[in-house]
Amino acid sequence: MADTAKNKLKEILKNISLALLSAFVVILVTIIFPITPIQKLELELLDKRFEERGEIKIDSPKVVIVEISQESFDQIPPPNNEWPWPRNLFAKLINNLSNAGAKAIGIDIIMSDTDRLSTANDSLMTDAIIRSGKVVVAGKIDIEREALIQKLKSGGSDFRNFKEGTLYTEYEEGFRSIKQNFDNIFFEADSSIGIVQIEGDDDGIKRRYHPYNLFSLNDSESVKIPSFSFAVLNKYFNRDFNYAAVSEEDDFIYSQKKIPKFTGATLLINYYGGFKAFPYFKFYEVIDDSTFTSNDEIEYESGVDEWEIYKEEGTFKDKIVLIGSTMPEDKDIFPVSFSKGKSGDNMIPGVEIHATVIQNVLDDNFLYKQSPASEIVSIIAISLLMFFIVAFLKKIKFRFSYLLEITVLLLVIISIYGLYKLSVYFFINKNMVISVTAPSLAIIFGYITSTVYNYLSERRQNVLIKGMFSQYVNKSVVNELINNPDKLKLGGEKKMLTVLFSDIAGFTTFAERKPPEELVSFINEFLHEMTEIIIRHEGTLDKYLGDAVMAFWGAPIPVEEHAYKACVTSLEMQNKLAELRDKWSKTGEHQIRIRIGINSGEVIVGNIGGSKRFDYTVLGDDVNLASRLEGANKEYGSNIMISDATYELVRDKVLVRDLDVIRVKGKSEPTNVYELISTAGDQKAIAAIDEMHEYFQGLELYRLKSFDSAHDYFKRCYEKLGDFPSKVYKERCEYYLQNPPDKDWDGVFELKSK
C-alpha cells in the first residue's frame, strides 16, 4: 500500500516535471529567446484582432488631413503643378490654416532642397512658419546608425534649444550634424521638427511608434528628438518644441498622460480603421482662396473659392492639421495592422499613421500589453493543465483508439480557439493585448509531451513515437521565412527583362462613385484575378500601386520567351476583365477597362533598400518606359501597347497594329509603339486587321507628309469601324493641313503627360 502511494507520488512528480519542462521550452522560445516565426505569428494574430474588432468611429476627430493627391496636381496651374511644388503654395496653406484657427499644423514632407523656382518662395514659407508659430516640419535621421550608437552607451538628455545656442557653442559639430541629419531646410524657422520615420516590424507592417528618437552628439551626449506625432502634440498642448516623453519601466509619461510601452521604446498603434479613417481635404481646396485660381475655375470661369466655404464653416478651427501625400509614387503608403480581411486592403499613407498616434494620445485610447510575469504564469498553468488532462484521457481504454486521438486533438484545437477568442474579448473590451502564441504552444507542447510520455511508458514503437512527435512539432512551426531569404543579397544586377504595367482607366472617377468598403472589395477581386494570371505565366509580381499592377518576367529565375509570356499575360488579363465585366454587369456595376504597357530591356533587378527593409524590384529607364506606355494608351484609345524592343522579340508570335513613333516624357530617344491585338494564328484578329487596311494606307501617307490623302483614309476607317487611332490621326492631319510641320519633321509624336 505504501509502495503504491509512493509510486503514485513518484509518477505525479514525474508528470509535473515533464509538464514544467514543456512550459520551460515554451518560455525559452517565446520570451527568453523568441523565435522569429513565432513572433511573426503573434503579430499576425494581433492584426487579426483588429479585423475582428472592426472600425472604430471617431466621433469628434481632433485631427484632419490635407492630402497631396493627383487631383491637386490636376488643379494647380503650371508651372506650379510640377513636383516639388513651390514653397509659396505651402506658405499659403500655412497662412490659411492659421487664420482659420488650426491649433497645430504638421507637414509630413521632407524638404531638403531649396525651392526649384525661387529662393524667395523659401523665405515666404519661413515667414509663414514664424508668423503661425503652430507648424512642425518633417525630419529624418539615420535610425540604424543611432541604434548602433545607443547600444554602445547608455543615458541621454533632453532635446535642448539649439536655436538659442545652448548646445551650439559647446557642441558645434554635433549641432551641425543634427541639422544635416534632419534633412529639412526649414528646421531653423522655429526648430519645431519631428522625425517622420516609422519603424516597421520584420514583415514591414507598421504596428509600433517611437515617441522620440535618440541622436548622439558625441561619445557621451545624446538628445531626445520628438517623433512627428509628438512634435505636433507639443504645439497642440503649448509645450516647448524640445519636450519629449519620459521613459519609465512600463510606460511613457507625456504631458501627464501615461502611455503603455509595447516593446522597447515603442508604443502600439491603436488603428481606428483603414484608409481615410480621418477626414481628408484636398490640398488645392485649402489654398483656393481669392488669390488662387484652380484649373477648373479657369476652364469653367467659376467664381467659387472652396477655402472660403471651409473657413466660414469653421472646418479647421481648433484642429490638428497634417499635410501629406497619398500618391503611390511617393512611396509613403505602408501596410498597417488594420485590415478588413482581404489582401492589400491594409495600406494607408504615412500621414494617417501619424494622425492615428495623435488621436490615440488625445483620446487616451491606448493598447496595453500583457506583462511577461503574467505570461509566464499562464504558460506554466496551461502546460500543467493540458499535460494532466491528456494523460488522464490517454488512460481511458476505448475500443476505437483512433476516436480517442481525434477527441484529444479536438480538445487541443478547441482550447487554442477558445484562447484566441478570449484574446479578442480582452482586445475589444479592455484594450488589452494578451499573448496567444505562447499559451497556444503551451497547449500543444503540453499535449505533445503528455502524448510522447504516454507512448514511451507503454513501450510503443519508436517509429510511432517519432512519427507523432514530428507531426505535431511541424504543426507548431508556422510562417517560416519565405523562400530562403539568406540567399538574397542587398543590391542588384543588370538583366534583360520584360516589364508590364497595368492600370484601370478613369479609376478616380470610378472610385468616387463607390463607398470605400465596396471599392476595396472590388479592387481586391480585380487584383486577385490579374495576379493569378501573372503568376500562372511565370511572372513576378513587383507591387500594387493602388489599382495598378507592376510585374516583370525573367527574374529572380530566368524565364524563356519572357517577352512573349508578358504579351500572353496581358491578353489574358483583358479577356479575364471581359468575363468580370459580364459578371459585374448583372449587378449594375459600372464597367471598367484597363490599359497595359509592356517594354523589354536591360534593367537593374534585385533587393533595393536598406539592410532592415528592402524590396525585390526593378529599376531603370526601360522600367519607366513600360510605365509611360501604359499611360500612352490614353492618347490612342488602345488597351495594350508594346514597345519596339518587345515587338522585336515576339514579332513572329503575335499580331499587332503599328501605332506610332513617340517620345515619352522624360526620354530623349523616340520609340516605335504597337497595339498588341492577339497571338499569331487568331483568325478573327487577322480578319479584323485586314478590315483596317485604310488605317495602314493612311499611316504610310501620313509619314510621307501627304496629310490630305492620309486624312481621307483615316476618315473612312473611322467612319467604317469607329477606330479611335484613326480618329486621332484624322485630327492630326487636320491640324497639320492648317499648320504644316517643319521640313525636318520626323513624324515623332511627343507625349506631354505621363
Side-chain angles (χ1 to χ4, degrees):
M1 192 88 171
D3 288 341
T4 302
K6 188 176 180 180
N7 289 335
K8 269 193 174 181
L9 179 60
K10 187 177 180 181
E11 181 71 16
I12 291 171
L13 291 175
K14 186 182 290 185
N15 288 345
I16 292 174
S17 298
L18 289 171
L20 291 176
L21 178 61
S22 172
F24 175 74
V25 171
V26 174
I27 294 169
L28 190 68
V29 300
T30 59
I31 298 178
I32 300 176
F33 300 110
I35 297 176
T36 299
I38 294 176
Q39 289 179 307
K40 186 177 179 183
L41 176 60
E42 184 67 49
L43 291 174
E44 290 179 353
L45 289 172
L46 170 61
D47 298 344
K48 188 70 176 175
R49 276 168 268 188
F50 275 101
E51 180 185 329
E52 295 257 14
R53 186 203 67 188
E55 293 181 314
I56 298 176
K57 180 176 175 55
I58 309 173
D59 293 328
S60 299
K62 299 286 188 186
V63 188
V64 298
I65 295 171
V66 174
E67 64 173 324
I68 296 171
S69 63
Q70 185 60 51
E71 192 167 352
S72 290
F73 273 90
D74 295 340
Q75 291 300 325
I76 296 175
N80 294 338
N81 61 340
E82 291 187 13
W83 191 257
W85 288 340
R87 304 287 160 63
N88 62 306
L89 296 182
F90 289 93
K92 178 184 286 292
L93 182 80
I94 293 169
N95 291 333
N96 284 357
L97 291 173
S98 299
N99 292 336
K103 289 195 70 173
I105 302 168
I107 304 177
D108 183 17
I109 303 165
I110 298 293
M111 297 181 178
S112 54
D113 299 316
T114 56
D115 190 272
R116 63 180 177 83
L117 296 180
S118 170
T119 55
N121 290 333
D122 291 330
S123 298
L124 288 173
M125 185 166 175
T126 299
D127 291 342
I129 292 172
I130 294 171
R131 282 198 308 273
S132 170
K134 304 173 182 179
V135 179
V136 172
V137 296
K140 63 181 182 180
I141 60 174
D142 188 340
I143 291 177
E144 293 181 9
R145 168 187 175 275
E146 288 309 310
L148 180 61
I149 292 175
Q150 297 306 324
K151 284 182 180 179
L152 301 176
K153 65 181 185 176
S154 60
S157 66
D158 290 335
F159 182 26
R160 309 241 186 119
N161 190 332
F162 297 112
K163 185 178 179 183
E164 296 300 323
T166 56
L167 283 179
Y168 186 85
T169 54
E170 187 176 357
Y171 301 114
E172 182 175 354
E173 290 302 318
F175 176 67
R176 184 178 297 111
S177 177
I178 284 182
K179 286 178 61 181
Q180 291 170 351
N181 277 272
F182 280 166
D183 205 14
N184 196 311
I185 64 173
F186 295 102
F187 163 69
E188 291 183 282
D190 77 349
S191 301
S192 293
I193 196 161
I195 304 305
V196 292
Q197 293 147 297
I198 306 170
E199 181 180 349
D201 290 310
D202 289 340
D203 55 5
I205 294 178
K206 310 295 184 182
R207 301 181 180 91
R208 299 175 292 115
Y209 198 88
H210 288 271
Y212 57 81
N213 291 273
L214 288 176
F215 184 85
S216 301
L217 293 174
N218 51 41
D219 291 340
S220 61
E221 186 77 16
S222 297
V223 295
K224 288 181 180 179
I225 304 173
S227 61
F228 188 71
S229 296
F230 283 82
V232 173
L233 283 166
N234 284 345
K235 291 290 185 183
Y236 185 82
F237 289 122
N238 293 317
R239 293 282 186 177
D240 291 339
F241 75 95
N242 58 347
Y243 181 74
V246 176
S247 178
E248 296 189 342
E249 185 176 355
D250 298 318
D251 305 285
F252 297 105
I253 305 300
Y254 175 81
S255 193
Q256 299 180 336
K257 291 176 179 285
K258 185 177 287 189
I259 303 172
K261 286 185 177 180
F262 184 62
T263 56
T266 63
L267 59 91
L268 183 61
I269 304 172
N270 190 4
Y271 288 100
Y272 295 90
F275 181 40
K276 294 197 173 178
F278 291 83
Y280 271 70
F281 300 90
K282 298 176 179 61
F283 187 101
Y284 85 91
E285 292 179 345
V286 181
I287 64 172
D288 187 18
D289 55 19
S290 59
T291 64
F292 176 84
T293 304
S294 68
N295 283 330
D296 275 353
E297 290 173 331
I298 296 171
E299 182 175 355
Y300 301 111
E301 298 183 355
S302 168
V304 177
D305 294 325
E306 298 287 347
W307 171 248
E308 300 303 329
I309 298 173
Y310 289 144
K311 187 175 179 181
E312 183 177 339
E313 293 177 350
T315 303
F316 298 99
K317 184 173 176 57
D318 296 327
K319 299 290 186 182
I320 293 174
V321 184
L322 302 186
I323 300 98
S325 173
T326 59
M327 299 185 67
E329 52 264 42
D330 288 335
K331 296 184 178 180
D332 195 34
I333 298 177
F334 306 102
V336 298
S337 291
F338 187 89
S339 169
K340 295 176 183 176
K342 294 184 179 179
S343 175
D345 68 353
N346 66 332
M347 307 291 288
I348 69 172
V351 67
E352 188 159 356
I353 299 176
H354 296 301
T356 302
V357 173
I358 293 172
Q359 193 71 42
N360 285 168
V361 174
L362 296 177
D363 292 345
D364 288 321
N365 189 9
F366 305 117
L367 293 172
Y368 298 83
K369 185 182 179 183
Q370 180 183 12
S371 69
S374 66
E375 190 174 351
I376 290 172
V377 170
S378 67
I379 291 170
I380 293 173
I382 290 171
S383 296
L384 286 167
L385 184 63
M386 183 54 61
F387 186 96
F388 280 98
I389 289 175
V390 172
F392 172 78
L393 292 174
K394 291 286 187 181
K395 290 180 180 179
I396 298 175
K397 301 300 179 183
F398 198 75
R399 181 177 178 182
F400 302 104
S401 58
Y402 69 90
L403 290 178
L404 181 61
E405 296 297 335
I406 292 173
T407 301
V408 175
L409 281 173
L410 284 174
L411 174 64
V412 171
I413 293 169
I414 292 170
S415 298
I416 293 174
Y417 179 74
L419 182 65
Y420 169 71
K421 295 306 289 186
L422 182 66
S423 75
V424 172
Y425 170 82
F426 274 96
F427 185 82
I428 294 174
N429 296 284
K430 307 293 183 182
N431 273 24
M432 176 67 70
V433 179
I434 65 171
S435 174
V436 176
T437 54
S440 296
L441 283 174
I443 292 172
I444 295 171
F445 274 62
Y447 161 70
I448 294 172
T449 306
S450 185
T451 299
V452 171
Y453 176 69
N454 179 69
Y455 278 111
L456 286 174
S457 64
E458 295 181 3
R459 301 181 184 275
R460 296 288 180 96
Q461 296 180 3
N462 287 338
V463 173
L464 182 59
I465 296 170
K466 291 180 180 179
M468 289 294 292
F469 187 82
S470 174
Q471 177 184 353
Y472 298 125
V473 169
N474 285 343
K475 283 188 176 182
S476 71
V477 181
V478 292
N479 296 327
E480 296 181 355
L481 297 174
I482 299 172
N483 296 326
N484 301 315
D486 55 317
K487 294 182 179 179
L488 301 175
K489 298 178 181 178
L490 272 177
E493 59 181 330
K494 186 177 287 188
K495 276 192 174 184
M496 181 71 176
L497 304 180
T498 297
V499 183
L500 177 150
F501 278 83
S502 166
D503 201 2
I504 296 177
F507 179 73
T508 301
T509 303
F510 172 77
E512 289 175 350
R513 301 174 181 173
K514 302 182 74 64
E517 296 79 5
E518 290 183 21
L519 181 62
V520 168
S521 177
F522 178 91
I523 288 299
N524 283 339
E525 181 181 11
F526 167 77
L527 292 177
H528 170 76
E529 295 294 346
M530 299 301 107
T531 302
E532 288 293 309
I533 295 170
I534 291 168
I535 293 173
R536 187 165 64 247
H537 289 287
E538 301 180 59
T540 299
L541 179 68
D542 189 303
K543 60 177 69 71
Y544 298 124
L545 301 170
D547 60 301
V549 179
M550 176 183 173
F552 54 89
W553 280 257
I557 300 172
V559 175
E560 293 184 6
E561 300 183 323
H562 51 82
Y564 178 67
K565 288 179 179 176
C567 290
V568 171
T569 297
S570 66
L571 292 168
E572 284 197 22
M573 289 169 71
Q574 294 289 356
N575 292 336
K576 173 56 71 173
L577 180 61
E579 294 177 16
L580 291 173
R581 281 198 293 260
D582 290 340
K583 171 186 169 184
W584 292 331
S585 65
K586 296 175 184 177
T587 59
E589 187 66 70
H590 180 73
Q591 299 300 294
I592 65 169
R593 54 185 288 265
I594 59 174
R595 297 185 294 257
I596 298 174
I598 301 174
N599 181 44
S600 303
E602 280 196 338
V603 303
I604 300 298
V605 58
N607 295 289
I608 310 301
S611 60
K612 296 287 186 181
R613 177 77 175 94
F614 51 84
D615 292 316
Y616 190 77
T617 188
V618 290
L619 299 173
D621 284 343
D622 285 305
V623 178
N624 297 333
L625 178 57
S627 175
R628 298 291 189 268
L629 295 186
E630 177 274 317
N633 281 291
K634 290 185 288 187
E635 179 71 26
Y636 302 91
S638 52
N639 294 323
I640 307 172
M641 185 180 292
I642 67 174
S643 69
D644 188 58
T646 299
Y647 177 64
E648 289 301 319
L649 296 173
V650 299
R651 62 187 310 152
D652 297 326
K653 298 179 181 180
V654 299
L655 299 174
V656 301
R657 183 229 294 245
D658 189 352
L659 274 181
D660 207 349
V661 181
I662 65 174
R663 184 181 290 108
V664 299
K665 189 172 183 179
K667 287 187 71 75
S668 58
E669 293 298 320
T671 181
N672 275 77
V673 292
Y674 304 85
E675 179 184 15
L676 178 63
I677 297 174
S678 179
T679 53
D682 186 331
Q683 295 304 314
K684 288 185 179 180
I686 293 172
I689 292 173
D690 289 340
E691 282 288 301
M692 299 177 188
H693 59 87
E694 292 98 343
Y695 168 86
F696 295 106
Q697 290 171 319
L699 187 60
E700 184 175 351
L701 291 166
Y702 171 86
R703 289 173 176 170
L704 293 172
K705 300 187 190 178
S706 297
F707 300 117
D708 193 25
S709 301
H711 177 272
D712 292 338
Y713 280 108
F714 288 131
K715 181 180 179 183
R716 289 202 297 272
C717 188
Y718 175 66
E719 290 174 350
K720 180 176 71 171
L721 302 175
D723 182 53
F724 193 88
S726 295
K727 179 176 180 290
V728 171
Y729 275 107
K730 179 177 76 71
E731 293 171 352
R732 284 193 200 171
C733 289
E734 292 168 356
Y735 175 81
Y736 284 133
L737 286 169
Q738 297 296 322
N739 306 275
D742 297 334
K743 290 182 179 181
D744 59 348
W745 179 74
D746 57 3
V748 175
F749 183 75
E750 188 153 351
L751 291 177
K752 300 298 184 183
S753 63
K754 297 182 180 181

